[in-house]
Amino acid sequence: MSLLTPASEVIQRHLEHFTDRHVILAGDIQDELGSILDAASVRVLTNQYHRWQNLHPLMGDNVNFSATVPADFMSDCDTLIYYWPKNKQEACFQLDDLCTYLKAGSQIFIVGENRSGVKSAEAIMEGIATLQKIDSARRCGLYYGELEQPTTFDIARWWRRYEEEDVQIHALPGVFSHNELDIGSNLLLATLNEPMKGKVLDLACGNGVIATVVGKRNPDVTLTLSDVSASAIASATATLEANQLTGKVIASDAYSNIDEQFDWIISNPPFHDGLNTSYNAVENMIYQAPKYLKKGGRLRIVANAFLPYPDMLDKAFGGHTVLAKTGKFKVYEATKR
């Protein structure tokens, strides 16, 4: 059993509420509380593939990896424990979805770290459930209410569409660069003007904009896109389709589901896990990259200039070059010898 997050420790102070309830946990789940919670039944919905990987051996089909709720997954649930994410719009999207499948009178618990903005849950749920703060501990707040008015979820209302370089970008809430192309990706794309060929992996692909621009500039490349986020997988798939491109889009925690070698690995990698700064994913991405590159294959990433990636690249590849930089970002490249 992994250590519980502060949010789950707050939930543990209220276990008497759950013993005879059919509970679903959803939102920004960061631990394995769902596998040990004492309740009539427990299900977990996560849009993070690595969380599903951890929980599936413990919970089997009672944990689901998806951007939205499968129709029959929570049909018996009468209690929701929702972990507040750092992205407010993602919370609105997920709660709109979840509250469509709960019956009126169902119990709703919303928990999150104070710095995440969880206090806005009261306003967001207005007209759906009247929430009250029932606990405050470990720098977290816990809110409770009963569902008064189930929602009617329509995913079409949540898609964001915009255009960059004649590329149509589609994204769901919570996906990086949801509303506009971020500065780092823009800098990375500016370095990808040379002809590219062979197999290209866009790792931590987000909405798929990097791979899509590469594919439009280089029609003969073979594209593979991967991400841990189910919402990113759905977004990248929609972006490829909108631009009449084909590619393989897969859920993978770094290289966990990758079993081939590439001519290029490109990425604007994340350095946060939920609210917390974490270099684990990027370390894994860099140190294992040579295994997934052909001889002469190249890894190209963009990152905040302050992050400690040059030393990692030198250890993994024996050297690196800086292709572009601004006051905030740098684009690094390393080649497998």
Side-chain angles (χ1 to χ4, degrees), residues 199-214:
K199 297 163 66 175
V200 177
L201 171 63
D202 183 356
L203 203 57
C205 64
N207 60 32
V209 60
I210 295 173
T212 300
V213 170
V214 168

Side-chain angles (χ1 to χ4, degrees), residues 1 15 28 33 40 49 57 60 86 95 111 139 160 206 231 233 259 276 312 322:
M1 174 64 193
L15 295 180
D28 187 25
L33 177 66
Y49 184 70
K86 67 178 181 180
L95 286 166
V111 64
R139 298 181 180 176
R160 175 77 171 93
S231 294
I233 297 300
D259 57 5
N276 300 314
M312 298 182 198
V322 177

